Amino acid sequence: MKKNLLSGVKPTGRPHIGNYFGAMKQFVDAQTLGQYDCHLFIADYHALNLIQDADQMRELTLDLVLDYLAIGLDPKKSIIFKQSDVPAHTELAWIFDTIVTMPYLERAHAFKDAEAKSKEINVGTFNYPVLMAADILLYDTDVVPVGQDQKQHVEYARDIALKFNHIFKSDTFKLPEPLILESVATVPGIDGRKMSKSYNNTIPLFASREEIQKTVMSIVTDSNGPEAGGVPANVYAIHKLFRSEGDLKALYETNKGKYKILKEALIEDTDTFIKPLRERREKLVGAVKNVVKVLEEGAKAANEKASVKLIEVKKAIGVL
Ligand code: AMP
Ligand code: TRP
């Protein structure tokens, strides 16, 4: 039997090259390799913590399916579905709620970050790792391709699996492993911090050439700062995604201190990479009907698997 791979992305806005290199590219590579049964979903219930407008939620969800298809995910090879279409996710999250403690969830990085911003945090944000554990454990997942920022969440899923198995004296859940590629674990944004929708420092994955130009030109460089030997660190860090370090060495050596030329080279390389993805996505936009069909078929396949697992869980806890 093939191993199971599962991952999700929240429909909270246009994905960026950090999402792509950190996680989504691994989805496509895994699908191509054919080593795993791939389960790739749209984490709309996780996004509900942030997106609380029905029209926007619908639009962002369809957009993300188009993004998935445009990067090369194929519904014939991977199960592509929407979290809210599979009620077993929230049902299992409730069951986990009864064995997970509040102090344990208070230790989660994402919760601590949210708390540091001193907002009144909703219960969904507090509970985020529990729903994510349910997402992962429902499908007997072996590997979870994600960026570094999600590592702790996969560890939470492992802890919850172990705790459940222990309390209910069963081997109901497998222990998942994160799949994090070191070189792209945290892709930096145009200001050198982690690339993130919430920092406004992204290069969108399907950016137009004009957007690429504008964004790359605004990459923060500091000619008085410690830019080692005239190499603009933030430009180089992004450039590494598209070209080998051997290639870049020569380019950056020849153009030491010439930030404009180096940025122009990065614009070319970024656009060369993005253009085919952008064009594929443009072609898909007209076919919204197909997108709906993809989600319907994905929901059917995911529900079949998830409901079998949920019955096993219900037997283990004694409600069945
Ligand atoms: P999200 O948009 O938060 O649902 O993230 C989708 C995926 O992209 C997750 O696996 C994240 O870990 C990953 N990701 C987000 N930002 C970055 C980044 N700057 N570098 C690498 N991976 C990232
Ligand atoms: N928390 C993930 C993120 O912010 C999205 C997600 C939800 C996820 N459930 C998941 C990722 C299960 C992997 C597995 O990116």
Side-chain angles (χ1 to χ4, degrees):
M1 245 196 14
K2 280 191 193 176
K3 289 194 166 186
N4 290 315
L5 176 145
L6 173 138
S7 193
V9 177
K10 295 193 297 289
T12 48
R14 296 167 80 195
H16 50 71
I17 59 172
N19 299 129
Y20 180 75
F21 286 101
M24 292 161 80
K25 181 171 186 294
Q26 277 63 263
F27 307 173
V28 188
D29 290 348
Q31 180 190 270
T32 310
L33 219 64
Q35 237 179 336
Y36 297 103
D37 280 333
C38 296
H39 309 73
L40 302 164
F41 70 99
I42 313 248
D44 53 353
Y45 274 161
H46 275 114
L48 189 57
N49 284 308
L50 301 159
I51 307 295
Q52 303 187 334
D53 174 289
D55 290 337
Q56 208 189 354
M57 178 66 89
R58 274 184 208 108
E59 191 179 327
L60 290 171
T61 300
L62 293 181
D63 277 347
L64 188 51
V65 184
L66 287 174
D67 299 338
Y68 272 2
L69 299 177
I71 62 169
L73 292 183
D74 177 352
K76 292 198 184 72
K77 296 185 184 151
S78 299
I79 302 182
I80 299 173
F81 67 102
K82 188 163 100 207
Q83 187 181 32
S84 62
D85 280 336
V86 186
H89 289 237
T90 41
E91 222 177 317
L92 183 58
W94 173 260
I95 294 169
F96 288 159
D97 274 344
T98 66
I99 64 166
V100 170
T101 69
M102 304 232 317
Y104 177 73
L105 290 182
E106 278 162 7
R107 289 199 289 276
H109 302 315
F111 170 73
K112 285 200 265 191
D113 291 349
E115 205 181 30
K117 288 182 192 148
S118 73
K119 280 187 292 186
E120 282 196 349
I121 298 161
N122 58 12
V123 176
T125 301
F126 183 62
N127 227 12
Y128 190 106
V130 179
L131 179 57
M132 183 155 161
D135 299 337
I136 296 172
L137 299 176
L138 257 183
Y139 299 88
D140 289 331
T141 301
D142 297 285
V143 292
V144 187
V146 279
Q148 179 70 25
D149 59 359
Q150 297 299 315
K151 185 170 184 232
Q152 191 190 41
H153 287 150
V154 181
E155 285 162 2
Y156 269 45
R158 287 175 66 91
D159 289 347
I160 292 172
L162 279 169
K163 193 165 185 186
F164 182 99
N165 289 350
H166 176 73
I167 292 176
F168 296 103
K169 297 178 193 60
S170 68
D171 54 3
T172 308
F173 294 115
K174 258 195 196 173
L175 299 189
E177 295 278 352
L179 172 68
I180 299 173
L181 299 189
E182 208 184 313
S183 61
V184 285
T186 306
V187 172
I190 60 169
D191 55 1
R193 293 187 294 169
K194 180 186 111 165
M195 188 174 284
S196 166
K197 283 167 221 169
S198 51
Y199 294 158
N200 228 337
N201 64 354
T202 69
I203 300 181
L205 178 58
F206 300 98
S208 65
R209 185 172 171 99
E210 292 68 39
E211 259 181 304
I212 295 170
Q213 263 164 335
K214 209 171 132 231
T215 319
V216 170
M217 280 306 172
S218 62
I219 295 179
V220 180
T221 54
D222 180 2
S223 41
N224 301 315
E227 304 275 20
V231 174
N234 294 340
V235 180
Y236 189 86
I238 296 176
H239 220 153
K240 262 196 327 200
L241 299 168
F242 305 113
R243 283 229 236 162
S244 73
E245 297 217 40
D247 262 15
L248 288 184
K249 213 169 162 225
L251 178 73
Y252 280 72
E253 199 107 304
T254 321
N255 295 292
K256 239 183 231 169
K258 297 179 187 154
Y259 294 177
K260 184 154 179 283
I261 293 180
L262 292 170
K263 282 184 172 179
E264 277 163 1
L266 176 57
I267 290 171
E268 282 317 312
D269 289 335
T270 308
D271 193 47
T272 302
F273 172 79
I274 287 183
K275 193 167 178 244
L277 294 175
R278 191 171 63 215
E279 288 178 350
R280 202 148 55 176
R281 197 181 186 290
E282 275 159 15
K283 279 199 198 125
L284 290 164
V285 168
V288 172
K289 260 201 206 140
N290 286 350
V291 170
V292 174
K293 209 168 133 230
V294 167
L295 288 180
E296 274 171 13
E297 284 174 5
K300 202 165 157 254
N303 269 305
E304 266 169 32
K305 289 197 167 188
S307 54
V308 172
K309 192 74 198 176
L310 195 63
I311 287 174
E312 195 185 329
V313 173
K314 286 184 172 178
K315 285 186 178 154
I317 63 176
V319 299
L320 263 189

